[in-house]
Amino acid sequence: MLTFVGLGLFDEKDISLKGLDAILAADLIYLEFYTSRLMGTTLEKMEALYKKPIHVLLREDVEQNPDWILNARDKNIVFLTGGDTMTSTTHIDLRIRAADLGIETKLIHGSSIISAVYGLSGLQNYRFGKSVSIPFPYTSSRGNRVVTETPYDTISKNKENGLHTLVFLDIHAELGYMKVSDALCLLLEVENKRKEGVMTHQIAVGIARAGSDDVYVQADFADNYDHFELGGPLQILVIPGDLHFVEAEALVKLAGAPKSIQKDSEK
């Protein structure tokens, strides 16, 4: 049996009781922290609570050479991930590989950043369109700095339909954790290049450390990116589309947005 367990948002205590029971019954426990991280804990704290050693997997162990899942043919194996399980394509691929090998699988869900964003921002879940990720700029083969424009295009398409965009921020082995202020600067850089007005007078919502006692939510216009210094990771960004008047009120009262957005939402 291969059991996928979502660990939740922030620390080792976010795990569900079902997830903890699965860990206590496991023969082997594996963990990947490259798609997401629990910033409020350490491997040592997790092992102390779960009372089991945890084998940390590298990206290539999950995506290229997941030979470890063969242990699930005759053992109870638990695979741990941050947030909810199956929110990453690579986890779905693992489950398919297990099915091809005749290995039974089970899912135990954890709290997700997606549902946390709805609650913390006050934005309504059915008003979100396609989500997108913003990567750090990279250097091309010609030595040029390249800023990916796909996030800008996704936001533009969602806005055409009046929908909000959930923007995941890059986690890089060398560059670290992208901040909301950095992501906004990259979007504004594309705006200055293309001048399509996607980010003009655009409200943005930044959330940091969801699930912790130190969670921070800030809403303001995107060009005030210096107002989005939210402290430590992990951070996530929302670019709203059309606002229902209740959403606008929530952003003002719960996230410090300018009161002018309430008047705009009533037009």
Side-chain angles (χ1 to χ4, degrees):
M1 168 76 79
L2 174 59
T3 303
F4 295 82
V5 177
L7 292 171
L9 292 172
F10 188 70
D11 62 26
E12 75 279 4
K13 297 179 182 178
D14 280 346
I15 192 170
S16 68
L17 292 178
K18 283 185 179 180
L20 185 57
D21 285 344
I23 287 174
L24 296 177
D27 297 311
L28 291 168
I29 303 169
Y30 295 93
L31 164 73
E32 72 87 354
F33 262 171
Y34 71 86
T35 58
S36 183
R37 289 291 306 270
L38 299 187
M39 301 306 299
T41 192
T42 63
L43 184 64
E44 291 73 23
K45 288 181 180 179
M46 293 173 67
E47 290 181 330
L49 177 62
Y50 306 154
K51 297 180 175 58
K52 293 282 182 72
I54 298 173
H55 306 276
V56 180
L57 300 171
L58 301 176
R59 190 182 194 114
E60 53 265 31
D61 297 325
V62 179
E63 296 185 354
Q64 299 173 24
N65 303 303
D67 296 338
W68 52 272
I69 67 173
L70 295 174
N71 292 313
R73 284 175 166 170
D74 55 10
K75 291 183 173 65
N76 286 324
I77 306 300
V78 165
F79 177 65
L80 305 176
T81 64
D84 190 17
T85 189
M86 296 295 121
T87 54
S88 174
T89 304
T90 188
H91 303 153
I92 298 171
D93 179 66
L94 270 180
R95 194 178 184 206
I96 292 172
R97 288 176 187 244
D100 290 341
L101 293 168
I103 296 171
E104 184 180 359
T105 61
K106 179 180 179 180
L107 308 182
I108 300 179
H109 297 282
S111 53
S112 166
I113 187 58
I114 297 173
S115 57
V117 164
Y118 305 150
L120 290 167
S121 68
L123 297 174
Q124 297 165 355
N125 63 346
Y126 62 89
R127 295 170 63 86
F128 278 75
K130 180 182 178 181
S131 59
V132 71
S133 298
I134 294 185
F136 284 105
Y138 64 93
T139 302
S140 71
S141 58
R142 296 182 178 181
N144 298 321
R145 177 177 173 274
V146 179
V147 175
T148 300
E149 299 184 15
T150 300
Y152 184 92
D153 292 330
T154 299
I155 293 167
S156 177
K157 186 64 175 179
N158 283 339
K159 284 186 65 177
E160 287 177 10
N161 295 311
L163 301 174
H164 313 321
T165 307
L166 182 61
V167 184
F168 295 95
L169 308 186
D170 201 1
I171 299 175
H172 193 280
E174 297 177 359
L175 300 176
Y177 305 95
M178 183 179 289
K179 299 187 297 182
V180 165
S181 56
D182 297 330
L184 288 173
C185 286
L186 292 172
L187 290 171
L188 291 168
E189 186 174 336
V190 178
E191 178 68 75
N192 291 334
K193 173 185 175 182
R194 292 173 46 171
K195 302 187 185 304
E196 296 177 9
V198 172
M199 299 299 295
T200 301
H201 198 64
Q202 173 62 55
I203 200 74
V205 185
I207 297 173
R209 299 173 300 283
S212 76
D213 293 333
D214 189 33
V215 62
Y216 194 97
V217 185
Q218 177 66 56
D220 203 338
F221 293 107
D223 52 3
N224 294 328
Y225 54 85
D226 54 337
H227 292 181
F228 288 89
E229 293 299 334
L230 309 182
L234 294 172
Q235 300 185 16
I236 196 163
L237 172 65
V238 182
I239 303 296
D242 296 339
L243 290 171
H244 184 275
F245 69 90
V246 174
E247 293 179 305
E249 182 179 9
L251 290 180
V252 170
K253 294 181 177 179
L254 304 179
K259 292 183 179 180
S260 61
I261 69 168
Q262 288 185 271
K263 294 181 181 179
D264 292 340
S265 69
E266 295 170 356
K267 292 179 181 179

